[in-house]
Amino acid sequence: MNLQAICSFFVSGQNITLSQQPRVRQRLALGATPRDIDMNGDIASGQMYVQGFIQQHPVSPVPLVLWHGGGMTGVNWETTPDGRPGWLQWLLDEGWNVYVCDAVERGRASWSPYPEVWPQAPLFRTKNEAWQMFRIGPAAGYHSDPGRRVAFSNSRFPQASFDDFACQWVPRWSGNEAITLRAYHALLDKIGPCIVIGHSQGGGFALDIARQRPRDVLAVVALEPSGAPDTHPREASYPPHLALWGDGFQQHVRWQRYRQRVEIYFNWLRAGGTRVDEIDLPALGIYGNSHFLMLDDNAQHLLSRVTEWLTSLACIQAARG
Amino acid sequence: MNLQAICSFFVSGQNITLSQQPRVRQRLALGATPRDIDMNGDIASGQMYVQGFIQQHPVSPVPLVLWHGGGMTGVNWETTPDGRPGWLQWLLDEGWNVYVCDAVERGRASWSPYPEVWPQAPLFRTKNEAWQMFRIGPAAGYHSDPGRRVAFSNSRFPQASFDDFACQWVPRWSGNEAITLRAYHALLDKIGPCIVIGHSQGGGFALDIARQRPRDVLAVVALEPSGAPDTHPREASYPPHLALWGDGFQQHVRWQRYRQRVEIYFNWLRAGGTRVDEIDLPALGIYGNSHFLMLDDNAQHLLSRVTEWLTSLACIQAARG
């Protein structure tokens, strides 16, 4: 890949002044003596981190923006847990300009003190829960000993690297949807028209932002969005949508419910004249995909489906000129 | 820059089983109904995140490894807060292979529940403290209103972007030195011989690791290391060291103490025959540098001093063949 620049920046966020915080005495430098630390004062809160990869000769003037899911960071798009190139690498090899986000509260975006700034404590996702919520195997199939785990027999997830995957997870808060959406808006204010690819919670945010800013979002790709706006879209037509769905829904009541809500929203969109395409992988004879489509063993093939769909769109072809 | 790959991986860390955690009921997906969340089970803890940039035609087979300071992440090495290219970009433009770390507990490395796994609560650095600890201005010079802040008159720090810089900061724990060092060792186990560039707390860690692994660390560059090993080095000779020091020490008793401890260590090294070079910028007539040398307005010039020093070393020339 021939890159002109690798850049990063923060968007959104505000200054918060903390008071009535403890003064503590702790050692901070290697081998030094403890020192007084006063935690009263100003901090940044609610910012989002963005890492940008800008091509020397981009394949399109329209950048791709990658939004991870809940309790995750932009690392999801990088090397897979078992060491294969991730979607980021393939997209850069194809010549796309790409922005990868760490959403508010996660990874390099940092997080704010609780209960002082965010009222609740964060949630730490266990491997036990993830094993079944990510549809890698049945709930009873998880075991602390990797050798004793039971995955679905046709699972495409790199399950031998599941513990490495767990290294990517970060704590999450359930009350930060509004400030997260505010940061995504600020990103679009800054970079302008783009294509958004969102996974899970990030897919739900992508659907919401596409409805709010149809002029800035030229197309949306939602990988197993876990949610969707629950109000009827107001305008007649929105940018084209593509959703991808993996396998294992028939055994998973919660995922069936999540998906039903998204399908209701998609039907609203279609009724208004918006193009909504869906790739239901098992219906195409492709079995065993988990919730993490971009990490599964056919991730590169799935990405090629996405980029074929994108490059077929009139709006993307028009932008290329 | 002509890159072959942008990769990422995690090193170190262990599985921890949490018990007696609360079961909570919260809404996690956009517009969904709340669901039960059981936080009892296994999590990853103590891992470190590494992002690697691999050149198509590297200028040297020896990679550079960049270690940030306390309460920071690898973002420190990227675009400066005022939007200039950071050291990472310049190094990639020069053709170096570079690994950037988010150390244990920070950024994409995630963090662990307290007090369940880490006994203490983290420390949030205030802008008030940073203004003087980073030697941008006097303690009384900080104000919440950016227009009313008073920096040192010759400050080279991009102070108009100080609030953007604060977006980079993450909470820190004071008890995690051992697990952080363990992760740095695991990184060297994985990548082999390298050059370590560390800033502040990361500079102290770099000095420690260079002493422990003189065969894997071919050279150390410490930017204002805040600490150093407090025991006399055991062997006769260690890899070459370079330290850089900014301005403003004469007004700052804490930084004088930190530096004194490092100078004692350097003198031990020199007595044993190790090459230790120091660039004391004010002594060279270069005034106004803050603690964040790689963000100051002369950052590119300072990096050229570092790379000139590195490329002059016999061990680096030998590796190039």
Side-chain angles (χ1 to χ4, degrees), chain B residues 285-316:
Chain B
I286 299 172
Y287 301 102
N289 274 108
S290 75
H291 178 50
F292 277 80
L293 301 163
M294 68 287 209
L295 303 181
D296 287 339
D297 67 6
N298 56 347
Q300 192 183 0
H301 170 72
L302 300 183
L303 178 62
S304 72
R305 298 249 181 167
V306 169
T307 52
E308 277 164 26
W309 181 83
L310 284 173
T311 49
S312 75
L313 296 175
C315 57
I316 306 301

PDB file of all heavy atoms in Angstrom, chain B residues 285-316:
ATOM      1  N   GLY B 285      21.628  25.799  23.298  1.00  0.00           N
ATOM      2  CA  GLY B 285      21.002  27.044  22.833  1.00  0.00           C
ATOM      3  C   GLY B 285      19.611  26.860  22.267  1.00  0.00           C
ATOM      4  O   GLY B 285      19.071  27.750  21.615  1.00  0.00           O
ATOM      5  N   ILE B 286      19.001  25.680  22.505  1.00  0.00           N
ATOM      6  CA  ILE B 286      17.629  25.431  22.031  1.00  0.00           C
ATOM      7  C   ILE B 286      16.714  25.502  23.247  1.00  0.00           C
ATOM      8  O   ILE B 286      16.725  24.605  24.100  1.00  0.00           O
ATOM      9  CB  ILE B 286      17.523  24.063  21.331  1.00  0.00           C
ATOM     10  CG1 ILE B 286      18.463  24.035  20.113  1.00  0.00           C
ATOM     11  CG2 ILE B 286      16.087  23.773  20.903  1.00  0.00           C
ATOM     12  CD1 ILE B 286      18.589  22.678  19.445  1.00  0.00           C
ATOM     13  N   TYR B 287      15.947  26.576  23.338  1.00  0.00           N
ATOM     14  CA  TYR B 287      15.156  26.847  24.538  1.00  0.00           C
ATOM     15  C   TYR B 287      13.668  26.584  24.306  1.00  0.00           C
ATOM     16  O   TYR B 287      13.196  26.586  23.176  1.00  0.00           O
ATOM     17  CB  TYR B 287      15.353  28.304  24.969  1.00  0.00           C
ATOM     18  CG  TYR B 287      16.784  28.629  25.264  1.00  0.00           C
ATOM     19  CD1 TYR B 287      17.571  29.329  24.330  1.00  0.00           C
ATOM     20  CD2 TYR B 287      17.392  28.213  26.455  1.00  0.00           C
ATOM     21  CE1 TYR B 287      18.909  29.619  24.582  1.00  0.00           C
ATOM     22  CE2 TYR B 287      18.731  28.496  26.711  1.00  0.00           C
ATOM     23  CZ  TYR B 287      19.480  29.195  25.776  1.00  0.00           C
ATOM     24  OH  TYR B 287      20.796  29.458  26.023  1.00  0.00           O
ATOM     25  N   GLY B 288      12.935  26.373  25.398  1.00  0.00           N
ATOM     26  CA  GLY B 288      11.472  26.370  25.351  1.00  0.00           C
ATOM     27  C   GLY B 288      10.834  25.011  25.148  1.00  0.00           C
ATOM     28  O   GLY B 288       9.613  24.916  25.046  1.00  0.00           O
ATOM     29  N   ASN B 289      11.643  23.941  25.093  1.00  0.00           N
ATOM     30  CA  ASN B 289      11.022  22.620  24.917  1.00  0.00           C
ATOM     31  C   ASN B 289      10.345  22.164  26.204  1.00  0.00           C
ATOM     32  O   ASN B 289      10.897  22.300  27.304  1.00  0.00           O
ATOM     33  CB  ASN B 289      12.061  21.585  24.474  1.00  0.00           C
ATOM     34  CG  ASN B 289      12.249  21.584  22.968  1.00  0.00           C
ATOM     35  OD1 ASN B 289      13.275  22.043  22.447  1.00  0.00           O
ATOM     36  ND2 ASN B 289      11.228  21.107  22.250  1.00  0.00           N
ATOM     37  N   SER B 290       9.172  21.579  26.035  1.00  0.00           N
ATOM     38  CA  SER B 290       8.394  21.051  27.155  1.00  0.00           C
ATOM     39  C   SER B 290       8.825  19.615  27.436  1.00  0.00           C
ATOM     40  O   SER B 290       9.767  19.087  26.827  1.00  0.00           O
ATOM     41  CB  SER B 290       6.909  21.085  26.803  1.00  0.00           C
ATOM     42  OG  SER B 290       6.618  20.042  25.872  1.00  0.00           O
ATOM     43  N   HIS B 291       8.085  18.952  28.329  1.00  0.00           N
ATOM     44  CA  HIS B 291       8.319  17.532  28.594  1.00  0.00           C
ATOM     45  C   HIS B 291       7.958  16.692  27.365  1.00  0.00           C
ATOM     46  O   HIS B 291       8.497  15.609  27.175  1.00  0.00           O
ATOM     47  CB  HIS B 291       7.475  17.118  29.808  1.00  0.00           C
ATOM     48  CG  HIS B 291       7.578  15.675  30.180  1.00  0.00           C
ATOM     49  ND1 HIS B 291       8.786  15.035  30.333  1.00  0.00           N
ATOM     50  CD2 HIS B 291       6.612  14.747  30.446  1.00  0.00           C
ATOM     51  CE1 HIS B 291       8.559  13.758  30.669  1.00  0.00           C
ATOM     52  NE2 HIS B 291       7.260  13.563  30.727  1.00  0.00           N
ATOM     53  N   PHE B 292       7.051  17.192  26.528  1.00  0.00           N
ATOM     54  CA  PHE B 292       6.618  16.437  25.342  1.00  0.00           C
ATOM     55  C   PHE B 292       7.391  16.882  24.110  1.00  0.00           C
ATOM     56  O   PHE B 292       6.860  17.528  23.205  1.00  0.00           O
ATOM     57  CB  PHE B 292       5.096  16.547  25.164  1.00  0.00           C
ATOM     58  CG  PHE B 292       4.371  15.565  26.027  1.00  0.00           C
ATOM     59  CD1 PHE B 292       4.165  15.835  27.363  1.00  0.00           C
ATOM     60  CD2 PHE B 292       3.954  14.347  25.525  1.00  0.00           C
ATOM     61  CE1 PHE B 292       3.538  14.903  28.182  1.00  0.00           C
ATOM     62  CE2 PHE B 292       3.330  13.411  26.329  1.00  0.00           C
ATOM     63  CZ  PHE B 292       3.115  13.688  27.669  1.00  0.00           C
ATOM     64  N   LEU B 293       8.664  16.491  24.087  1.00  0.00           N
ATOM     65  CA  LEU B 293       9.577  16.898  23.019  1.00  0.00           C
ATOM     66  C   LEU B 293       9.037  16.550  21.635  1.00  0.00           C
ATOM     67  O   LEU B 293       9.236  17.285  20.671  1.00  0.00           O
ATOM     68  CB  LEU B 293      10.924  16.197  23.224  1.00  0.00           C
ATOM     69  CG  LEU B 293      11.615  16.476  24.566  1.00  0.00           C
ATOM     70  CD1 LEU B 293      12.696  15.441  24.823  1.00  0.00           C
ATOM     71  CD2 LEU B 293      12.193  17.882  24.572  1.00  0.00           C
ATOM     72  N   MET B 294       8.330  15.415  21.544  1.00  0.00           N
ATOM     73  CA  MET B 294       7.861  14.951  20.226  1.00  0.00           C
ATOM     74  C   MET B 294       6.611  15.676  19.774  1.00  0.00           C
ATOM     75  O   MET B 294       6.120  15.403  18.669  1.00  0.00           O
ATOM     76  CB  MET B 294       7.663  13.428  20.219  1.00  0.00           C
ATOM     77  CG  MET B 294       6.547  12.929  21.078  1.00  0.00           C
ATOM     78  SD  MET B 294       6.924  13.015  22.855  1.00  0.00           S
ATOM     79  CE  MET B 294       5.925  11.648  23.451  1.00  0.00           C
ATOM     80  N   LEU B 295       6.090  16.574  20.606  1.00  0.00           N
ATOM     81  CA  LEU B 295       4.929  17.373  20.203  1.00  0.00           C
ATOM     82  C   LEU B 295       5.290  18.844  20.018  1.00  0.00           C
ATOM     83  O   LEU B 295       4.498  19.620  19.480  1.00  0.00           O
ATOM     84  CB  LEU B 295       3.814  17.256  21.248  1.00  0.00           C
ATOM     85  CG  LEU B 295       3.317  15.840  21.565  1.00  0.00           C
ATOM     86  CD1 LEU B 295       2.191  15.896  22.590  1.00  0.00           C
ATOM     87  CD2 LEU B 295       2.859  15.124  20.300  1.00  0.00           C
ATOM     88  N   ASP B 296       6.470  19.240  20.482  1.00  0.00           N
ATOM     89  CA  ASP B 296       6.873  20.655  20.421  1.00  0.00           C
ATOM     90  C   ASP B 296       7.086  21.099  18.970  1.00  0.00           C
ATOM     91  O   ASP B 296       7.127  20.276  18.057  1.00  0.00           O
ATOM     92  CB  ASP B 296       8.151  20.855  21.239  1.00  0.00           C
ATOM     93  CG  ASP B 296       7.886  20.777  22.745  1.00  0.00           C
ATOM     94  OD1 ASP B 296       6.722  20.961  23.167  1.00  0.00           O
ATOM     95  OD2 ASP B 296       8.856  20.543  23.493  1.00  0.00           O
ATOM     96  N   ASP B 297       7.215  22.433  18.790  1.00  0.00           N
ATOM     97  CA  ASP B 297       7.250  22.962  17.417  1.00  0.00           C
ATOM     98  C   ASP B 297       8.523  22.566  16.662  1.00  0.00           C
ATOM     99  O   ASP B 297       8.562  22.687  15.439  1.00  0.00           O
ATOM    100  CB  ASP B 297       7.022  24.484  17.407  1.00  0.00           C
ATOM    101  CG  ASP B 297       8.150  25.268  18.040  1.00  0.00           C
ATOM    102  OD1 ASP B 297       9.201  24.674  18.405  1.00  0.00           O
ATOM    103  OD2 ASP B 297       7.993  26.498  18.179  1.00  0.00           O
ATOM    104  N   ASN B 298       9.547  22.110  17.388  1.00  0.00           N
ATOM    105  CA  ASN B 298      10.775  21.641  16.722  1.00  0.00           C
ATOM    106  C   ASN B 298      10.891  20.100  16.755  1.00  0.00           C
ATOM    107  O   ASN B 298      11.991  19.540  16.677  1.00  0.00           O
ATOM    108  CB  ASN B 298      12.018  22.272  17.372  1.00  0.00           C
ATOM    109  CG  ASN B 298      12.086  22.005  18.873  1.00  0.00           C
ATOM    110  OD1 ASN B 298      11.105  21.564  19.474  1.00  0.00           O
ATOM    111  ND2 ASN B 298      13.229  22.288  19.469  1.00  0.00           N
ATOM    112  N   ALA B 299       9.740  19.432  16.837  1.00  0.00           N
ATOM    113  CA  ALA B 299       9.733  17.973  16.995  1.00  0.00           C
ATOM    114  C   ALA B 299      10.458  17.273  15.848  1.00  0.00           C
ATOM    115  O   ALA B 299      11.183  16.294  16.059  1.00  0.00           O
ATOM    116  CB  ALA B 299       8.292  17.468  17.096  1.00  0.00           C
ATOM    117  N   GLN B 300      10.259  17.768  14.639  1.00  0.00           N
ATOM    118  CA  GLN B 300      10.876  17.103  13.489  1.00  0.00           C
ATOM    119  C   GLN B 300      12.400  17.228  13.557  1.00  0.00           C
ATOM    120  O   GLN B 300      13.126  16.270  13.259  1.00  0.00           O
ATOM    121  CB  GLN B 300      10.329  17.706  12.192  1.00  0.00           C
ATOM    122  CG  GLN B 300      10.690  16.886  10.970  1.00  0.00           C
ATOM    123  CD  GLN B 300      10.204  17.513   9.677  1.00  0.00           C
ATOM    124  OE1 GLN B 300       9.585  18.580   9.683  1.00  0.00           O
ATOM    125  NE2 GLN B 300      10.487  16.859   8.563  1.00  0.00           N
ATOM    126  N   HIS B 301      12.874  18.400  13.982  1.00  0.00           N
ATOM    127  CA  HIS B 301      14.325  18.583  14.122  1.00  0.00           C
ATOM    128  C   HIS B 301      14.886  17.654  15.201  1.00  0.00           C
ATOM    129  O   HIS B 301      15.949  17.030  15.014  1.00  0.00           O
ATOM    130  CB  HIS B 301      14.637  20.041  14.461  1.00  0.00           C
ATOM    131  CG  HIS B 301      16.063  20.253  14.856  1.00  0.00           C
ATOM    132  ND1 HIS B 301      17.097  20.190  13.945  1.00  0.00           N
ATOM    133  CD2 HIS B 301      16.635  20.478  16.059  1.00  0.00           C
ATOM    134  CE1 HIS B 301      18.243  20.383  14.577  1.00  0.00           C
ATOM    135  NE2 HIS B 301      17.995  20.557  15.859  1.00  0.00           N
ATOM    136  N   LEU B 302      14.171  17.539  16.308  1.00  0.00           N
ATOM    137  CA  LEU B 302      14.652  16.672  17.396  1.00  0.00           C
ATOM    138  C   LEU B 302      14.709  15.220  16.935  1.00  0.00           C
ATOM    139  O   LEU B 302      15.650  14.488  17.256  1.00  0.00           O
ATOM    140  CB  LEU B 302      13.757  16.814  18.633  1.00  0.00           C
ATOM    141  CG  LEU B 302      13.680  18.222  19.239  1.00  0.00           C
ATOM    142  CD1 LEU B 302      12.820  18.212  20.495  1.00  0.00           C
ATOM    143  CD2 LEU B 302      15.069  18.780  19.548  1.00  0.00           C
ATOM    144  N   LEU B 303      13.712  14.817  16.147  1.00  0.00           N
ATOM    145  CA  LEU B 303      13.732  13.440  15.639  1.00  0.00           C
ATOM    146  C   LEU B 303      14.937  13.222  14.724  1.00  0.00           C
ATOM    147  O   LEU B 303      15.570  12.155  14.761  1.00  0.00           O
ATOM    148  CB  LEU B 303      12.436  13.131  14.889  1.00  0.00           C
ATOM    149  CG  LEU B 303      12.390  11.723  14.275  1.00  0.00           C
ATOM    150  CD1 LEU B 303      12.477  10.653  15.346  1.00  0.00           C
ATOM    151  CD2 LEU B 303      11.129  11.538  13.438  1.00  0.00           C
ATOM    152  N   SER B 304      15.277  14.239  13.931  1.00  0.00           N
ATOM    153  CA  SER B 304      16.431  14.066  13.031  1.00  0.00           C
ATOM    154  C   SER B 304      17.718  13.873  13.846  1.00  0.00           C
ATOM    155  O   SER B 304      18.603  13.118  13.456  1.00  0.00           O
ATOM    156  CB  SER B 304      16.548  15.251  12.072  1.00  0.00           C
ATOM    157  OG  SER B 304      16.980  16.408  12.757  1.00  0.00           O
ATOM    158  N   ARG B 305      17.804  14.548  15.015  1.00  0.00           N
ATOM    159  CA  ARG B 305      18.957  14.309  15.896  1.00  0.00           C
ATOM    160  C   ARG B 305      18.988  12.852  16.364  1.00  0.00           C
ATOM    161  O   ARG B 305      20.056  12.231  16.458  1.00  0.00           O
ATOM    162  CB  ARG B 305      18.864  15.203  17.140  1.00  0.00           C
ATOM    163  CG  ARG B 305      18.896  16.676  16.855  1.00  0.00           C
ATOM    164  CD  ARG B 305      20.189  17.226  17.359  1.00  0.00           C
ATOM    165  NE  ARG B 305      20.273  18.653  17.146  1.00  0.00           N
ATOM    166  CZ  ARG B 305      21.190  19.416  17.723  1.00  0.00           C
ATOM    167  NH1 ARG B 305      22.066  18.890  18.565  1.00  0.00           N
ATOM    168  NH2 ARG B 305      21.245  20.692  17.467  1.00  0.00           N
ATOM    169  N   VAL B 306      17.821  12.332  16.678  1.00  0.00           N
ATOM    170  CA  VAL B 306      17.725  10.945  17.168  1.00  0.00           C
ATOM    171  C   VAL B 306      18.122   9.966  16.065  1.00  0.00           C
ATOM    172  O   VAL B 306      18.929   9.053  16.283  1.00  0.00           O
ATOM    173  CB  VAL B 306      16.304  10.648  17.688  1.00  0.00           C
ATOM    174  CG1 VAL B 306      16.114   9.151  17.947  1.00  0.00           C
ATOM    175  CG2 VAL B 306      16.019  11.445  18.952  1.00  0.00           C
ATOM    176  N   THR B 307      17.565  10.148  14.877  1.00  0.00           N
ATOM    177  CA  THR B 307      17.840   9.172  13.813  1.00  0.00           C
ATOM    178  C   THR B 307      19.294   9.290  13.337  1.00  0.00           C
ATOM    179  O   THR B 307      19.894   8.289  12.965  1.00  0.00           O
ATOM    180  CB  THR B 307      16.849   9.310  12.642  1.00  0.00           C
ATOM    181  OG1 THR B 307      16.819  10.663  12.203  1.00  0.00           O
ATOM    182  CG2 THR B 307      15.449   8.897  13.069  1.00  0.00           C
ATOM    183  N   GLU B 308      19.859  10.509  13.365  1.00  0.00           N
ATOM    184  CA  GLU B 308      21.290  10.640  13.042  1.00  0.00           C
ATOM    185  C   GLU B 308      22.139   9.854  14.039  1.00  0.00           C
ATOM    186  O   GLU B 308      23.082   9.157  13.667  1.00  0.00           O
ATOM    187  CB  GLU B 308      21.720  12.125  13.081  1.00  0.00           C
ATOM    188  CG  GLU B 308      21.410  12.876  11.808  1.00  0.00           C
ATOM    189  CD  GLU B 308      21.484  14.391  12.009  1.00  0.00           C
ATOM    190  OE1 GLU B 308      22.220  14.845  12.921  1.00  0.00           O
ATOM    191  OE2 GLU B 308      20.783  15.107  11.271  1.00  0.00           O
ATOM    192  N   TRP B 309      21.798   9.989  15.311  1.00  0.00           N
ATOM    193  CA  TRP B 309      22.532   9.253  16.351  1.00  0.00           C
ATOM    194  C   TRP B 309      22.404   7.745  16.118  1.00  0.00           C
ATOM    195  O   TRP B 309      23.396   7.014  16.152  1.00  0.00           O
ATOM    196  CB  TRP B 309      21.989   9.640  17.730  1.00  0.00           C
ATOM    197  CG  TRP B 309      22.674   8.979  18.896  1.00  0.00           C
ATOM    198  CD1 TRP B 309      23.833   9.366  19.505  1.00  0.00           C
ATOM    199  CD2 TRP B 309      22.236   7.796  19.582  1.00  0.00           C
ATOM    200  NE1 TRP B 309      24.138   8.510  20.533  1.00  0.00           N
ATOM    201  CE2 TRP B 309      23.182   7.542  20.613  1.00  0.00           C
ATOM    202  CE3 TRP B 309      21.150   6.946  19.448  1.00  0.00           C
ATOM    203  CZ2 TRP B 309      23.059   6.460  21.495  1.00  0.00           C
ATOM    204  CZ3 TRP B 309      21.026   5.870  20.325  1.00  0.00           C
ATOM    205  CH2 TRP B 309      21.973   5.635  21.325  1.00  0.00           C
ATOM    206  N   LEU B 310      21.166   7.307  15.839  1.00  0.00           N
ATOM    207  CA  LEU B 310      20.936   5.867  15.639  1.00  0.00           C
ATOM    208  C   LEU B 310      21.731   5.343  14.447  1.00  0.00           C
ATOM    209  O   LEU B 310      22.397   4.295  14.539  1.00  0.00           O
ATOM    210  CB  LEU B 310      19.451   5.594  15.407  1.00  0.00           C
ATOM    211  CG  LEU B 310      18.534   5.648  16.627  1.00  0.00           C
ATOM    212  CD1 LEU B 310      17.075   5.534  16.200  1.00  0.00           C
ATOM    213  CD2 LEU B 310      18.892   4.534  17.616  1.00  0.00           C
ATOM    214  N   THR B 311      21.659   6.057  13.340  1.00  0.00           N
ATOM    215  CA  THR B 311      22.291   5.535  12.123  1.00  0.00           C
ATOM    216  C   THR B 311      23.816   5.619  12.214  1.00  0.00           C
ATOM    217  O   THR B 311      24.514   4.968  11.434  1.00  0.00           O
ATOM    218  CB  THR B 311      21.770   6.253  10.870  1.00  0.00           C
ATOM    219  OG1 THR B 311      21.824   7.665  11.082  1.00  0.00           O
ATOM    220  CG2 THR B 311      20.331   5.866  10.585  1.00  0.00           C
ATOM    221  N   SER B 312      24.326   6.409  13.179  1.00  0.00           N
ATOM    222  CA  SER B 312      25.786   6.464  13.363  1.00  0.00           C
ATOM    223  C   SER B 312      26.308   5.289  14.178  1.00  0.00           C
ATOM    224  O   SER B 312      27.522   5.051  14.231  1.00  0.00           O
ATOM    225  CB  SER B 312      26.169   7.770  14.067  1.00  0.00           C
ATOM    226  OG  SER B 312      25.845   7.697  15.445  1.00  0.00           O
ATOM    227  N   LEU B 313      25.422   4.551  14.818  1.00  0.00           N
ATOM    228  CA  LEU B 313      25.872   3.476  15.708  1.00  0.00           C
ATOM    229  C   LEU B 313      26.387   2.282  14.898  1.00  0.00           C
ATOM    230  O   LEU B 313      25.743   1.852  13.932  1.00  0.00           O
ATOM    231  CB  LEU B 313      24.729   3.005  16.605  1.00  0.00           C
ATOM    232  CG  LEU B 313      24.177   4.032  17.603  1.00  0.00           C
ATOM    233  CD1 LEU B 313      22.965   3.444  18.332  1.00  0.00           C
ATOM    234  CD2 LEU B 313      25.236   4.461  18.603  1.00  0.00           C
ATOM    235  N   ALA B 314      27.489   1.743  15.329  1.00  0.00           N
ATOM    236  CA  ALA B 314      28.085   0.598  14.630  1.00  0.00           C
ATOM    237  C   ALA B 314      27.118  -0.585  14.611  1.00  0.00           C
ATOM    238  O   ALA B 314      27.000  -1.286  13.606  1.00  0.00           O
ATOM    239  CB  ALA B 314      29.395   0.205  15.308  1.00  0.00           C
ATOM    240  N   CYS B 315      26.391  -0.813  15.724  1.00  0.00           N
ATOM    241  CA  CYS B 315      25.497  -1.979  15.786  1.00  0.00           C
ATOM    242  C   CYS B 315      24.355  -1.849  14.782  1.00  0.00           C
ATOM    243  O   CYS B 315      23.902  -2.844  14.221  1.00  0.00           O
ATOM    244  CB  CYS B 315      24.953  -2.171  17.200  1.00  0.00           C
ATOM    245  SG  CYS B 315      24.067  -0.744  17.854  1.00  0.00           S
ATOM    246  N   ILE B 316      23.890  -0.631  14.547  1.00  0.00           N
ATOM    247  CA  ILE B 316      22.797  -0.429  13.596  1.00  0.00           C
ATOM    248  C   ILE B 316      23.329  -0.537  12.168  1.00  0.00           C
ATOM    249  O   ILE B 316      22.687  -1.122  11.290  1.00  0.00           O
ATOM    250  CB  ILE B 316      22.113   0.937  13.833  1.00  0.00           C
ATOM    251  CG1 ILE B 316      21.668   1.081  15.291  1.00  0.00           C
ATOM    252  CG2 ILE B 316      20.944   1.137  12.875  1.00  0.00           C
ATOM    253  CD1 ILE B 316      20.703   0.015  15.758  1.00  0.00           C
TER     254      ILE B 316
END
